[in-house]
Amino acid sequence: SDRCSIRFSLEFINTASQALTQVASVLSRNELLAERPPCAFLGAGTSSVSIPSSILTGFRGFPQLSPTATSSDLSDRGQHPLFGRVIPSDADNAVVYLKFFR
């Protein structure tokens, strides 16, 4: 067959902004991770959920990308080596606000 062997899939998990729900969800995916390992985790939307889940996904070797987590704690590469964001951290925002309001 001339078809590509790459298969894309997507799974949504509603954490209701609860860190324990997110972490439990990642941990409960052991069989899925062995059968079809993900290449990355997208989310969570809040820093309070992203912080513990980023530690866990980073420990397991999976990158995590959050569109809205702004905590500067997530910039610590020792704790969150595979975490990325598409929005500045709170620390970076503070510098911009100070420059703007001078």
Side-chain angles (χ1 to χ4, degrees), residues 2-21:
D2 291 339
R3 296 185 70 187
C4 178
S5 63
I6 297 174
R7 191 180 95 171
F8 291 95
S9 65
L10 182 64
E11 183 175 347
F12 289 98
I13 301 164
N14 182 2
T15 63
S17 296
Q18 299 296 316
L20 289 177
T21 303

Side-chain angles (χ1 to χ4, degrees), residues 8-37:
F8 291 95
S9 65
L10 182 64
E11 183 175 347
F12 289 98
I13 301 164
N14 182 2
T15 63
S17 296
Q18 299 296 316
L20 289 177
T21 303
Q22 173 69 15
V23 170
S25 172
V26 172
L27 286 173
S28 70
R29 302 278 185 292
N30 279 335
E31 290 140 18
L32 176 65
L33 294 176
E35 180 185 322
R36 294 178 300 158

Side-chain angles (χ1 to χ4, degrees), residues 27 52 62 80 83:
L27 286 173
F62 300 115
H80 309 280
F83 179 80

Side-chain angles (χ1 to χ4, degrees), residues 24-97:
S25 172
V26 172
L27 286 173
S28 70
R29 302 278 185 292
N30 279 335
E31 290 140 18
L32 176 65
L33 294 176
E35 180 185 322
R36 294 178 300 158
C39 46
F41 284 80
L42 301 177
T46 63
S47 296
S48 62
V49 177
S50 292
I51 290 170
S53 65
S54 172
I55 293 170
L56 180 61
T57 56
F59 176 75
R60 290 186 165 208
F62 300 115
Q64 179 176 325
L65 179 67
S66 174
T68 54
T70 59
S71 173
S72 56
D73 292 344
L74 289 161
S75 299
D76 179 351
R77 290 286 166 220
Q79 283 278 5
H80 309 280
L82 299 175
F83 179 80
R85 65 174 115 228
V86 296
I87 188 170
S89 74
D90 292 333
D92 294 333
N93 282 335
V95 171
V96 171
Y97 292 145

